[in-house]
Amino acid sequence: MAEAATAAATPLIHGLPDEVVLWEILVRLDPKSLLRCRAVRRSWRRATSARGFLLAHHHHDILAFDHRAAANAQLHRVARLDRHLYVDASCDGLLVLSTYYKGMHGSHISICNPTTRELASVVGPPWDFSTLGIYPHRPTSEYRLLLHQGSRKDLPKDQIGCFVLPLGPDQSPRYIGWPETKAELLDEPVHVHDGLHWYPDPGYHRSGSRKRESKPIIVFDTIAESFRQMHSPIVPTQAYIFEKDGMLGIYCHDDDKNTVGIWVLQNYESEVWDLKYQIRLPVEEIRGRVEDYVDYDFRDINLWDVNDVSGDGGMLLLVNFGWSVFHIDTDGKLIDSFNFDLQRLCVYQCQLKQSLVQHTFFPALKGYVVNASLFI
C-alpha cells in the first residue's frame, strides 16, 4: 500500500507535470522509442500501458513536406488524427476530414484549419456523403463542398449523384447531378481556372489493361457548378493529374515504375499538351538506402514542385517507398531522403497552404472548437 502510494506521488519527470510528460512528450513517440522508454522506470511503463494512453498513441499523424525549402526540407506534424479519421480534400489552408470508409452509410464530415487550430462539423448521419472536393465560389465568396451520395435502396434516382453544400449555418446539400462519363472521381482534384479537375480512375489493376490511351479530364466548373470534359494527352492508363502555379499537368510511370513521364498543358483554352520530361528514377541508389526491403516496388509516386515549366526550370518528385520519401529532380538525381520515426507513410493527394485567415463560417458550424485534441 505504502509503496503504491509513493509510486503514485512520484512524478514521471521531476519538474514537469505528469500531464505534460504523458500527453505532450510520451504520446508523440514512435512505437520503437516508446518500448525503449518503458524500460527506464516502472512508473513510465505503468503510465504508458494504460488503455487511454494506448488509444491516444494509436492515432495517426498528418505530416507536411515543405517543398519550397528544398535545402532544409523535412516532414513535420500538422495534426494528430483519430485512427478513424481520414483526409478527404484541401483548399486554401483548409482540410476536410471524414470518419468513414468511402461508401459506408452514415458518414461524418468535418473541416479544420491546422494553422488557426479550428475544427467544426459539416455533415453527418443520416446523410451518406463522401467528399469530392472543396472550393471557393467566387460569385458569393463562400467556401463550398462538392459531395457525392452513392446508390442506396431507400433513395430515388434523382438523389444519387453530386451535391453542393455551402459552408455556413443552416445549409442543406443541393443536388446538381453527375458527370456524363460516370467516372469514379476518387483522387484529390486539381483546382485551376475556377474548376476542379480529375483524371478518371483508370481501373488499371482491375482490368489489367496496359494500352496507351487518352481519357477525358473531368472538370467541375466552380462558378456555374456544372460538369464538363477536357482533352488529355495519350498516356499509359495509370496516370495522375497535378497543378503548380495555375498550370495543369499529368504524370505517369511505366509498368516497372522506373521511368516517370510529365506532361504540361501549355494553353488551357486550346487544350494543347506537351511532354515536358521523361525521368529515369535512380532505382539502385534508392535500393541502397532501404536495407529492410529486397524487392523494388514503389508504393506511390507523387509530383510536388514545378519551377518555371515554361522555361528551363525543373520539377521535383516525391517517391514514397516503405518508410521513406525520396526527393528526386528532373535529371533523375536523388537529392535527399526523409523518414518519420521509422513509421510507414501513406501519401495523401493534398496540398496544405498555411493560412491565418479567420473564416466567418467556422463559428456558425456545429461543434465549433479551437485547440481541439487533434491539433499538436
Side-chain angles (χ1 to χ4, degrees), residues 133-179:
I134 179 174
Y135 59 94
H137 184 244
R138 284 202 298 116
T140 61
S141 299
E142 293 178 330
Y143 278 87
R144 298 183 175 185
L145 293 180
L146 178 62
L147 305 173
H148 172 247
Q149 186 160 244
S151 178
R152 292 210 331 252
K153 293 181 180 180
D154 59 331
L155 289 177
K157 291 184 178 180
D158 62 355
Q159 293 185 26
I160 297 173
C162 294
F163 292 75
V164 166
L165 177 65
L167 295 177
D170 303 321
Q171 298 284 1
S172 297
R174 173 170 54 86
Y175 181 73
I176 61 168
W178 186 242

Tab-separated table of all heavy atoms in Angstrom, residues 133-179:
chain	number	residue	atom	x	y	z
A	133	GLY	N	-14.495	17.310	-53.173
A	133	GLY	CA	-13.610	18.463	-53.187
A	133	GLY	C	-14.182	19.622	-52.396
A	133	GLY	O	-15.344	19.610	-51.982
A	134	ILE	N	-13.341	20.637	-52.177
A	134	ILE	CA	-13.746	21.885	-51.539
A	134	ILE	C	-13.223	23.022	-52.403
A	134	ILE	O	-12.133	22.930	-52.978
A	134	ILE	CB	-13.211	21.977	-50.095
A	134	ILE	CG1	-13.619	23.297	-49.451
A	134	ILE	CG2	-11.701	21.794	-50.036
A	134	ILE	CD1	-13.251	23.401	-47.969
A	135	TYR	N	-13.996	24.106	-52.522
A	135	TYR	CA	-13.602	25.185	-53.424
A	135	TYR	C	-14.226	26.503	-52.977
A	135	TYR	O	-15.279	26.525	-52.330
A	135	TYR	CB	-14.056	24.876	-54.859
A	135	TYR	CG	-15.551	24.697	-55.012
A	135	TYR	CD1	-16.373	25.761	-55.370
A	135	TYR	CD2	-16.145	23.453	-54.795
A	135	TYR	CE1	-17.747	25.598	-55.506
A	135	TYR	CE2	-17.507	23.278	-54.923
A	135	TYR	CZ	-18.305	24.351	-55.283
A	135	TYR	OH	-19.677	24.183	-55.405
A	136	PRO	N	-13.582	27.638	-53.327
A	136	PRO	CA	-14.202	28.943	-53.112
A	136	PRO	C	-15.130	29.266	-54.281
A	136	PRO	O	-14.743	29.142	-55.447
A	136	PRO	CB	-12.999	29.906	-53.085
A	136	PRO	CG	-11.953	29.228	-53.897
A	136	PRO	CD	-12.177	27.754	-53.767
A	137	HIS	N	-16.357	29.660	-53.973
A	137	HIS	CA	-17.328	30.031	-55.008
A	137	HIS	C	-17.246	31.549	-55.173
A	137	HIS	O	-17.789	32.303	-54.364
A	137	HIS	CB	-18.732	29.590	-54.585
A	137	HIS	CG	-19.778	29.843	-55.618
A	137	HIS	ND1	-20.825	30.721	-55.418
A	137	HIS	CD2	-19.939	29.343	-56.871
A	137	HIS	CE1	-21.597	30.741	-56.491
A	137	HIS	NE2	-21.079	29.923	-57.394
A	138	ARG	N	-16.552	32.026	-56.212
A	138	ARG	CA	-16.251	33.446	-56.352
A	138	ARG	C	-17.477	34.364	-56.383
A	138	ARG	O	-17.457	35.447	-55.794
A	138	ARG	CB	-15.393	33.667	-57.605
A	138	ARG	CG	-13.943	33.248	-57.413
A	138	ARG	CD	-12.999	33.925	-58.380
A	138	ARG	NE	-13.287	33.606	-59.764
A	138	ARG	CZ	-13.673	34.472	-60.675
A	138	ARG	NH1	-13.868	35.738	-60.342
A	138	ARG	NH2	-13.884	34.101	-61.930
A	139	PRO	N	-18.575	33.968	-57.048
A	139	PRO	CA	-19.727	34.893	-57.085
A	139	PRO	C	-20.298	35.219	-55.705
A	139	PRO	O	-20.850	36.307	-55.504
A	139	PRO	CB	-20.752	34.144	-57.942
A	139	PRO	CG	-19.929	33.261	-58.829
A	139	PRO	CD	-18.782	32.826	-57.964
A	140	THR	N	-20.195	34.302	-54.753
A	140	THR	CA	-20.768	34.533	-53.423
A	140	THR	C	-19.716	34.675	-52.329
A	140	THR	O	-20.064	34.947	-51.181
A	140	THR	CB	-21.699	33.368	-53.038
A	140	THR	OG1	-20.931	32.148	-52.996
A	140	THR	CG2	-22.835	33.227	-54.048
A	141	SER	N	-18.431	34.423	-52.673
A	141	SER	CA	-17.334	34.446	-51.690
A	141	SER	C	-17.499	33.370	-50.619
A	141	SER	O	-16.942	33.477	-49.526
A	141	SER	CB	-17.209	35.831	-51.030
A	141	SER	OG	-16.928	36.820	-52.005
A	142	GLU	N	-18.292	32.338	-50.914
A	142	GLU	CA	-18.486	31.226	-49.986
A	142	GLU	C	-17.496	30.105	-50.295
A	142	GLU	O	-17.072	29.938	-51.436
A	142	GLU	CB	-19.902	30.651	-50.104
A	142	GLU	CG	-21.011	31.568	-49.658
A	142	GLU	CD	-22.378	30.926	-49.870
A	142	GLU	OE1	-22.523	30.113	-50.817
A	142	GLU	OE2	-23.290	31.242	-49.101
A	143	TYR	N	-17.157	29.344	-49.272
A	143	TYR	CA	-16.471	28.068	-49.488
A	143	TYR	C	-17.538	26.987	-49.529
A	143	TYR	O	-18.471	26.981	-48.708
A	143	TYR	CB	-15.460	27.793	-48.376
A	143	TYR	CG	-14.150	28.515	-48.594
A	143	TYR	CD1	-13.977	29.808	-48.145
A	143	TYR	CD2	-13.106	27.905	-49.292
A	143	TYR	CE1	-12.788	30.491	-48.358
A	143	TYR	CE2	-11.909	28.577	-49.511
A	143	TYR	CZ	-11.759	29.865	-49.044
A	143	TYR	OH	-10.584	30.532	-49.269
A	144	ARG	N	-17.407	26.084	-50.502
A	144	ARG	CA	-18.414	25.052	-50.688
A	144	ARG	C	-17.776	23.681	-50.836
A	144	ARG	O	-16.651	23.560	-51.324
A	144	ARG	CB	-19.274	25.360	-51.922
A	144	ARG	CG	-20.057	26.667	-51.794
A	144	ARG	CD	-20.953	26.935	-52.978
A	144	ARG	NE	-21.781	28.135	-52.767
A	144	ARG	CZ	-22.719	28.562	-53.596
A	144	ARG	NH1	-22.940	27.885	-54.738
A	144	ARG	NH2	-23.428	29.635	-53.316
A	145	LEU	N	-18.516	22.672	-50.413
A	145	LEU	CA	-18.097	21.283	-50.577
A	145	LEU	C	-18.825	20.670	-51.759
A	145	LEU	O	-20.025	20.900	-51.949
A	145	LEU	CB	-18.417	20.467	-49.327
A	145	LEU	CG	-17.665	20.798	-48.036
A	145	LEU	CD1	-18.130	19.872	-46.917
A	145	LEU	CD2	-16.165	20.680	-48.232
A	146	LEU	N	-18.090	19.907	-52.555
A	146	LEU	CA	-18.698	19.075	-53.592
A	146	LEU	C	-18.777	17.662	-53.024
A	146	LEU	O	-17.753	17.049	-52.704
A	146	LEU	CB	-17.866	19.097	-54.869
A	146	LEU	CG	-18.384	18.225	-56.017
A	146	LEU	CD1	-19.761	18.704	-56.473
A	146	LEU	CD2	-17.406	18.215	-57.178
A	147	LEU	N	-19.996	17.165	-52.852
A	147	LEU	CA	-20.241	15.880	-52.206
A	147	LEU	C	-20.829	14.878	-53.190
A	147	LEU	O	-21.419	15.253	-54.198
A	147	LEU	CB	-21.193	16.058	-51.019
A	147	LEU	CG	-20.795	17.085	-49.959
A	147	LEU	CD1	-21.923	17.271	-48.955
A	147	LEU	CD2	-19.511	16.660	-49.257
A	148	HIS	N	-20.674	13.610	-52.850
A	148	HIS	CA	-21.279	12.544	-53.653
A	148	HIS	C	-22.067	11.619	-52.744
A	148	HIS	O	-21.615	11.272	-51.647
A	148	HIS	CB	-20.207	11.737	-54.393
A	148	HIS	CG	-20.739	10.519	-55.069
A	148	HIS	ND1	-20.410	9.241	-54.678
A	148	HIS	CD2	-21.603	10.387	-56.103
A	148	HIS	CE1	-21.049	8.371	-55.458
A	148	HIS	NE2	-21.766	9.039	-56.321
A	149	GLN	N	-23.251	11.262	-53.185
A	149	GLN	CA	-24.072	10.298	-52.465
A	149	GLN	C	-24.251	9.064	-53.323
A	149	GLN	O	-24.726	9.150	-54.453
A	149	GLN	CB	-25.436	10.895	-52.108
A	149	GLN	CG	-26.278	9.964	-51.222
A	149	GLN	CD	-27.359	10.726	-50.485
A	149	GLN	OE1	-27.368	10.804	-49.273
A	149	GLN	NE2	-28.285	11.301	-51.229
A	150	GLY	N	-23.852	7.917	-52.791
A	150	GLY	CA	-23.892	6.680	-53.556
A	150	GLY	C	-25.274	6.065	-53.608
A	150	GLY	O	-26.236	6.551	-53.022
A	151	SER	N	-25.357	4.968	-54.335
A	151	SER	CA	-26.631	4.285	-54.539
A	151	SER	C	-27.096	3.588	-53.269
A	151	SER	O	-26.323	2.904	-52.597
A	151	SER	CB	-26.476	3.253	-55.663
A	151	SER	OG	-27.668	2.543	-55.849
A	152	ARG	N	-28.369	3.806	-52.915
A	152	ARG	CA	-28.999	3.126	-51.782
A	152	ARG	C	-30.422	2.763	-52.170
A	152	ARG	O	-31.085	3.471	-52.932
A	152	ARG	CB	-29.030	4.035	-50.538
A	152	ARG	CG	-27.693	4.323	-49.926
A	152	ARG	CD	-27.785	4.546	-48.407
A	152	ARG	NE	-29.039	5.085	-47.933
A	152	ARG	CZ	-29.189	6.335	-47.481
A	152	ARG	NH1	-28.176	7.184	-47.513
A	152	ARG	NH2	-30.340	6.741	-47.023
A	153	LYS	N	-30.895	1.664	-51.637
A	153	LYS	CA	-32.233	1.185	-51.984
A	153	LYS	C	-33.320	2.166	-51.580
A	153	LYS	O	-34.372	2.240	-52.221
A	153	LYS	CB	-32.473	-0.176	-51.321
A	153	LYS	CG	-31.601	-1.302	-51.868
A	153	LYS	CD	-31.923	-2.609	-51.184
A	153	LYS	CE	-31.064	-3.740	-51.730
A	153	LYS	NZ	-31.364	-5.031	-51.055
A	154	ASP	N	-33.085	2.929	-50.497
A	154	ASP	CA	-34.120	3.824	-49.999
A	154	ASP	C	-34.071	5.208	-50.639
A	154	ASP	O	-34.809	6.100	-50.230
A	154	ASP	CB	-34.007	3.954	-48.483
A	154	ASP	CG	-32.644	4.481	-48.055
A	154	ASP	OD1	-31.664	4.243	-48.775
A	154	ASP	OD2	-32.573	5.117	-46.988
A	155	LEU	N	-33.212	5.410	-51.639
A	155	LEU	CA	-33.090	6.711	-52.279
A	155	LEU	C	-33.607	6.677	-53.712
A	155	LEU	O	-33.309	5.740	-54.459
A	155	LEU	CB	-31.624	7.170	-52.301
A	155	LEU	CG	-31.004	7.575	-50.969
A	155	LEU	CD1	-29.530	7.920	-51.174
A	155	LEU	CD2	-31.745	8.752	-50.360
A	156	PRO	N	-34.377	7.685	-54.125
A	156	PRO	CA	-34.771	7.775	-55.540
A	156	PRO	C	-33.570	8.120	-56.401
A	156	PRO	O	-32.561	8.646	-55.921
A	156	PRO	CB	-35.795	8.919	-55.540
A	156	PRO	CG	-35.466	9.736	-54.334
A	156	PRO	CD	-34.946	8.768	-53.307
A	157	LYS	N	-33.659	7.859	-57.708
A	157	LYS	CA	-32.533	8.057	-58.614
A	157	LYS	C	-32.088	9.506	-58.677
A	157	LYS	O	-30.908	9.796	-58.887
A	157	LYS	CB	-32.897	7.558	-60.013
A	157	LYS	CG	-33.036	6.037	-60.105
A	157	LYS	CD	-33.312	5.603	-61.534
A	157	LYS	CE	-33.403	4.086	-61.619
A	157	LYS	NZ	-33.670	3.626	-63.011
A	158	ASP	N	-33.023	10.455	-58.499
A	158	ASP	CA	-32.652	11.867	-58.600
A	158	ASP	C	-31.946	12.371	-57.346
A	158	ASP	O	-31.641	13.561	-57.245
A	158	ASP	CB	-33.877	12.723	-58.899
A	158	ASP	CG	-34.941	12.649	-57.807
A	158	ASP	OD1	-34.767	11.853	-56.869
A	158	ASP	OD2	-35.944	13.380	-57.921
A	159	GLN	N	-31.667	11.496	-56.382
A	159	GLN	CA	-30.901	11.865	-55.203
A	159	GLN	C	-29.572	11.122	-55.121
A	159	GLN	O	-28.876	11.175	-54.114
A	159	GLN	CB	-31.717	11.619	-53.931
A	159	GLN	CG	-32.925	12.527	-53.790
A	159	GLN	CD	-33.635	12.331	-52.465
A	159	GLN	OE1	-33.036	11.916	-51.478
A	159	GLN	NE2	-34.917	12.647	-52.435
A	160	ILE	N	-29.230	10.409	-56.198
A	160	ILE	CA	-27.963	9.702	-56.265
A	160	ILE	C	-27.050	10.459	-57.217
A	160	ILE	O	-27.383	10.661	-58.383
A	160	ILE	CB	-28.156	8.254	-56.757
A	160	ILE	CG1	-29.026	7.484	-55.760
A	160	ILE	CG2	-26.806	7.559	-56.930
A	160	ILE	CD1	-29.418	6.112	-56.242
A	161	GLY	N	-25.929	10.925	-56.731
A	161	GLY	CA	-25.031	11.707	-57.555
A	161	GLY	C	-24.327	12.763	-56.737
A	161	GLY	O	-23.974	12.539	-55.569
A	162	CYS	N	-24.127	13.951	-57.321
A	162	CYS	CA	-23.343	15.009	-56.685
A	162	CYS	C	-24.219	16.089	-56.079
A	162	CYS	O	-25.294	16.408	-56.599
A	162	CYS	CB	-22.392	15.626	-57.707
A	162	CYS	SG	-21.124	14.483	-58.288
A	163	PHE	N	-23.721	16.660	-54.984
A	163	PHE	CA	-24.413	17.720	-54.259
A	163	PHE	C	-23.416	18.829	-53.951
A	163	PHE	O	-22.210	18.587	-53.831
A	163	PHE	CB	-24.997	17.201	-52.948
A	163	PHE	CG	-26.128	16.225	-53.104
A	163	PHE	CD1	-25.888	14.909	-53.503
A	163	PHE	CD2	-27.437	16.611	-52.835
A	163	PHE	CE1	-26.923	14.013	-53.630
A	163	PHE	CE2	-28.480	15.712	-52.958
A	163	PHE	CZ	-28.227	14.408	-53.365
A	164	VAL	N	-23.924	20.047	-53.803
A	164	VAL	CA	-23.127	21.192	-53.386
A	164	VAL	C	-23.612	21.630	-52.015
A	164	VAL	O	-24.815	21.759	-51.780
A	164	VAL	CB	-23.248	22.355	-54.397
A	164	VAL	CG1	-22.721	23.649	-53.804
A	164	VAL	CG2	-22.491	22.007	-55.675
A	165	LEU	N	-22.670	21.864	-51.093
A	165	LEU	CA	-23.018	22.298	-49.741
A	165	LEU	C	-22.199	23.528	-49.372
A	165	LEU	O	-20.986	23.434	-49.148
A	165	LEU	CB	-22.752	21.185	-48.730
A	165	LEU	CG	-23.011	21.562	-47.260
A	165	LEU	CD1	-24.491	21.840	-47.028
A	165	LEU	CD2	-22.516	20.467	-46.327
A	166	PRO	N	-22.807	24.724	-49.295
A	166	PRO	CA	-22.090	25.913	-48.811
A	166	PRO	C	-21.762	25.757	-47.330
A	166	PRO	O	-22.561	25.227	-46.553
A	166	PRO	CB	-23.089	27.051	-49.040
A	166	PRO	CG	-24.081	26.517	-50.034
A	166	PRO	CD	-24.168	25.051	-49.770
A	167	LEU	N	-20.585	26.217	-46.914
A	167	LEU	CA	-20.202	26.166	-45.514
A	167	LEU	C	-20.791	27.362	-44.791
A	167	LEU	O	-20.445	28.510	-45.076
A	167	LEU	CB	-18.676	26.162	-45.387
A	167	LEU	CG	-17.978	24.926	-45.955
A	167	LEU	CD1	-16.469	25.057	-45.832
A	167	LEU	CD2	-18.462	23.661	-45.267
A	168	GLY	N	-21.692	27.109	-43.878
A	168	GLY	CA	-22.359	28.168	-43.150
A	168	GLY	C	-23.500	27.612	-42.332
A	168	GLY	O	-23.777	26.398	-42.350
A	169	PRO	N	-24.213	28.459	-41.606
A	169	PRO	CA	-25.299	27.985	-40.746
A	169	PRO	C	-26.527	27.563	-41.549
A	169	PRO	O	-26.861	28.174	-42.572
A	169	PRO	CB	-25.602	29.212	-39.877
A	169	PRO	CG	-25.211	30.376	-40.741
A	169	PRO	CD	-24.017	29.923	-41.526
A	170	ASP	N	-27.163	26.514	-41.092
A	170	ASP	CA	-28.461	26.077	-41.629
A	170	ASP	C	-28.422	25.839	-43.144
A	170	ASP	O	-29.357	26.188	-43.875
A	170	ASP	CB	-29.556	27.110	-41.299
A	170	ASP	CG	-29.668	27.365	-39.809
A	170	ASP	OD1	-29.555	26.386	-39.047
A	170	ASP	OD2	-29.854	28.526	-39.421
A	171	GLN	N	-27.349	25.266	-43.642
A	171	GLN	CA	-27.232	24.971	-45.064
A	171	GLN	C	-27.589	23.508	-45.314
A	171	GLN	O	-27.324	22.638	-44.489
A	171	GLN	CB	-25.809	25.251	-45.565
A	171	GLN	CG	-25.375	26.700	-45.440
A	171	GLN	CD	-26.003	27.584	-46.502
A	171	GLN	OE1	-26.788	27.124	-47.326
A	171	GLN	NE2	-25.654	28.867	-46.484
A	172	SER	N	-28.180	23.242	-46.476
A	172	SER	CA	-28.530	21.876	-46.863
A	172	SER	C	-27.883	21.553	-48.200
A	172	SER	O	-27.736	22.443	-49.057
A	172	SER	CB	-30.050	21.719	-46.983
A	172	SER	OG	-30.671	21.947	-45.735
A	173	PRO	N	-27.495	20.292	-48.420
A	173	PRO	CA	-26.898	19.906	-49.699
A	173	PRO	C	-27.888	20.107	-50.850
A	173	PRO	O	-29.065	19.783	-50.733
A	173	PRO	CB	-26.553	18.435	-49.499
A	173	PRO	CG	-26.499	18.237	-48.016
A	173	PRO	CD	-27.512	19.177	-47.458
A	174	ARG	N	-27.395	20.646	-51.979
A	174	ARG	CA	-28.219	20.887	-53.169
A	174	ARG	C	-27.789	19.949	-54.285
A	174	ARG	O	-26.631	19.905	-54.667
A	174	ARG	CB	-28.085	22.345	-53.620
A	174	ARG	CG	-28.768	22.671	-54.941
A	174	ARG	CD	-28.778	24.178	-55.168
A	174	ARG	NE	-27.441	24.746	-55.082
A	174	ARG	CZ	-26.585	24.810	-56.121
A	174	ARG	NH1	-26.926	24.307	-57.293
A	174	ARG	NH2	-25.396	25.367	-55.957
A	175	TYR	N	-28.729	19.187	-54.838
A	175	TYR	CA	-28.423	18.191	-55.868
A	175	TYR	C	-28.093	18.871	-57.193
A	175	TYR	O	-28.793	19.787	-57.629
A	175	TYR	CB	-29.633	17.260	-56.045
A	175	TYR	CG	-29.429	16.166	-57.071
A	175	TYR	CD1	-28.599	15.085	-56.796
A	175	TYR	CD2	-30.071	16.204	-58.309
A	175	TYR	CE1	-28.421	14.066	-57.724
A	175	TYR	CE2	-29.894	15.201	-59.241
A	175	TYR	CZ	-29.063	14.136	-58.946
A	175	TYR	OH	-28.872	13.134	-59.868
A	176	ILE	N	-26.994	18.429	-57.852
A	176	ILE	CA	-26.610	19.017	-59.145
A	176	ILE	C	-26.401	17.970	-60.232
A	176	ILE	O	-26.039	18.319	-61.356
A	176	ILE	CB	-25.329	19.863	-59.011
A	176	ILE	CG1	-24.163	18.991	-58.543
A	176	ILE	CG2	-25.548	21.039	-58.077
A	176	ILE	CD1	-22.831	19.691	-58.673
A	177	GLY	N	-26.598	16.694	-59.944
A	177	GLY	CA	-26.450	15.669	-60.976
A	177	GLY	C	-25.110	14.961	-60.908
A	177	GLY	O	-24.458	14.908	-59.876
A	178	TRP	N	-24.693	14.454	-62.055
A	178	TRP	CA	-23.490	13.603	-62.124
A	178	TRP	C	-22.867	13.756	-63.502
A	178	TRP	O	-23.570	13.927	-64.497
A	178	TRP	CB	-23.883	12.152	-61.884
A	178	TRP	CG	-22.743	11.179	-61.772
A	178	TRP	CD1	-22.482	10.126	-62.592
A	178	TRP	CD2	-21.713	11.158	-60.789
A	178	TRP	NE1	-21.352	9.464	-62.184
A	178	TRP	CE2	-20.856	10.075	-61.069
A	178	TRP	CE3	-21.421	11.974	-59.689
A	178	TRP	CZ2	-19.730	9.773	-60.303
A	178	TRP	CZ3	-20.293	11.671	-58.930
A	178	TRP	CH2	-19.472	10.582	-59.229
A	179	PRO	N	-21.522	13.755	-63.629
A	179	PRO	CA	-20.903	13.895	-64.951
A	179	PRO	C	-21.315	12.781	-65.896
A	179	PRO	O	-21.576	11.648	-65.469
A	179	PRO	CB	-19.398	13.849	-64.650
A	179	PRO	CG	-19.284	13.237	-63.297
A	179	PRO	CD	-20.527	13.618	-62.556
